[in-house]
Amino acid sequence: MTMQKGKCYIIAEIGGNFTTFDEAKRLVDEAKGCGVDAVKLQTYKAETLSSKKAIFDMENTGIVSQYELFDQYSIGEELHKQVFDYARASGLDIFSSPSHKNDVALLERLGADAYKIGSDDAYNIPLLKQIASLGKPVFYATGMCTLDEVKESVQAMLQTGNKQIIILHAITAYPTHPEDVNLRAMQTLKGAFPELSVGYSDHTLGTTACICAAAMGAEVLEKHFTYDKHADGPDHMHSADPAEMKAIVDAVREFELMRGDGIKKPAKAEEGTRINNRKSIVMIKDVAKGAPITADAVDIMRPGYGIQPKYLEEVIGRIAACDLKRDDILTWEALA
């Protein structure tokens, strides 16, 4: 996988939104058509992820057993392999978020090029160290974390010698409402880890948060992705559909063009307008050769290829070196 400097890396999270290869294939095809850089899965087994006493009580799930929900949407190794192979053949990067050391072993068998740490494991130091020690890029989501917890976790990963840690601001609420997004926290993370890439993992409805995050400096964006917001499953409702994902990708790529290099200078497109649309000193009366230029004989107007307005006081009183007519653009060569 490659992340280009200056280009936001956009990930379509499809994990949890399919249970068959046909569904996954459709998601990969749609994601490819939207122009994303990568698709991401979720790798877990209910028995190693959740006790049977854990429950969900969230807007997208209601009150349900975590174990039963995870058991329903977990996928096996063969389906993992099919999706990995298909995504790679489609020209997309693909990786996953493991939830247990056994999941890491599965993904290593598949040759995963990167790993995502879900927010539920953001403070799971043993798993973080295991994954970071593999020496591959780690996309580290920080939902539910304090800054001190993030610092401790990142330090644990850096101590393995892996410097490829990408920190993602995230809010673990499905969906995340605008008042909880707190995009400035992403900038706080960048301030705390200036040497690392920082991005945003989104769970809001719509496209605004991702586009704003990119404008605020996100180097990575992750967004859940679906072919149908009304499909069966907990993540479809807060996922982007193809139209929304394409709108995000298109807006971010357009922003990257607009961002520029930061140097304040005339744009290439202004080369002509700088001459035609600026103003200079223009004759508004005829003045004969040898006569002085009086204040009532000149004014400041377009175009801009004559004497610049800042020299108006120097022009007044100078002698005309030739006959000057109304609407002549005054130049230094016309003055004695």
Side-chain angles (χ1 to χ4, degrees):
M1 62 168 289
T2 56
M3 290 176 58
Q4 298 178 25
K5 186 173 179 60
K7 180 184 178 184
C8 186
Y9 188 80
I10 302 178
I11 305 163
E13 158 69 281
I14 64 173
N17 283 348
F18 71 92
T19 55
T20 69
F21 179 61
D22 284 343
E23 291 172 337
K25 181 175 178 293
R26 180 178 177 185
L27 286 166
V28 171
D29 289 343
E30 295 276 16
K32 173 73 173 179
C34 293
V36 304
D37 298 292
V39 291
K40 190 192 82 68
L41 311 184
Q42 297 173 18
T43 303
Y44 58 82
K45 289 187 177 297
E47 57 265 28
T48 56
L49 176 56
S50 174
S51 75
K52 293 184 179 179
K53 293 185 177 181
I55 63 164
F56 277 129
D57 185 7
M58 297 186 297
E59 192 173 337
N60 64 319
T61 62
I63 300 175
V64 296
S65 162
Q66 289 194 25
Y67 182 93
E68 291 177 4
L69 192 66
F70 288 132
D71 192 47
Q72 182 179 355
Y73 289 100
S74 65
I75 61 174
E77 184 165 350
E78 180 56 31
L79 183 50
H80 270 82
K81 184 178 186 306
Q82 287 179 295
V83 181
F84 264 67
D85 289 346
Y86 188 76
R88 285 168 170 161
S90 300
L92 293 174
D93 293 339
I94 182 168
F95 49 94
S96 188
S97 52
S99 292
H100 188 269
K101 61 183 180 181
N102 295 346
D103 305 328
V104 178
L106 183 158
L107 292 170
E108 282 297 286
R109 290 194 293 272
L110 295 176
D113 295 323
Y115 284 89
K116 161 75 186 296
I117 304 293
S119 292
D120 57 332
D121 284 310
Y123 201 45
N124 182 348
I125 301 293
L127 184 65
L128 297 178
K129 291 170 68 174
Q130 179 196 3
I131 292 172
S133 67
L134 297 171
K136 299 175 180 179
V138 179
F139 295 89
Y140 169 62
T142 59
M144 304 180 288
C145 285
T146 66
L147 183 58
D148 283 343
E149 289 171 339
V150 174
K151 288 180 177 179
E152 184 179 353
S153 296
V154 170
Q155 187 60 32
M157 288 188 281
L158 291 174
Q159 285 174 349
T160 70
N162 189 346
K163 308 299 183 185
Q164 302 177 83
I165 312 300
I166 301 99
I167 305 173
L168 304 180
H169 172 54
I171 301 296
T172 308
Y174 310 93
T176 302
H177 296 290
E179 62 271 21
D180 293 320
V181 172
N182 192 18
L183 287 176
R184 291 171 67 185
M186 179 184 67
Q187 297 175 319
T188 297
L189 291 169
K190 186 63 178 178
F193 306 98
E195 74 284 5
L196 300 179
S197 293
V198 170
Y200 173 59
S201 179
D202 184 45
H203 301 121
T204 66
L205 302 177
T207 63
T208 303
C210 283
I211 295 169
C212 290
M216 292 175 68
E219 298 166 76
V220 174
L221 291 175
E222 180 189 30
K223 178 82 170 174
H224 284 260
F225 183 64
T226 183
Y227 49 79
D228 180 3
K229 289 177 176 288
H230 302 290
D232 185 37
D235 289 336
H236 290 282
M237 70 168 288
H238 61 266
S239 298
D241 62 21
E244 289 174 323
M245 186 63 83
K246 190 172 190 311
I248 291 170
V249 173
D250 288 350
V252 171
R253 298 296 174 239
E254 187 173 15
F255 159 71
E256 288 167 349
L257 288 173
M258 293 177 174
R259 179 175 50 198
D261 58 14
I263 300 170
K264 181 55 185 169
K265 63 183 185 301
K268 185 173 180 59
E270 293 180 310
E271 289 176 357
T273 55
R274 182 175 165 87
I275 295 172
N276 296 325
N277 293 4
R278 275 193 164 183
K279 296 179 179 179
S280 55
I281 300 174
V282 177
M283 302 302 301
I284 59 172
K285 285 184 177 181
D286 295 348
V287 175
K289 179 179 178 180
I293 305 295
T294 57
D296 63 348
V298 292
D299 205 348
I300 295 170
M301 60 181 69
R302 297 186 184 191
Y305 54 78
I307 298 175
Q308 295 179 32
K310 67 179 181 179
Y311 297 112
L312 180 62
E313 291 185 5
E314 295 182 34
V315 166
I316 304 303
R318 292 285 293 269
I319 302 301
C322 59
D323 288 339
L324 296 172
K325 303 296 185 183
R326 179 183 174 88
D327 284 332
D328 281 352
I329 313 303
L330 195 60
T331 63
W332 291 115
E333 292 74 18
L335 301 176

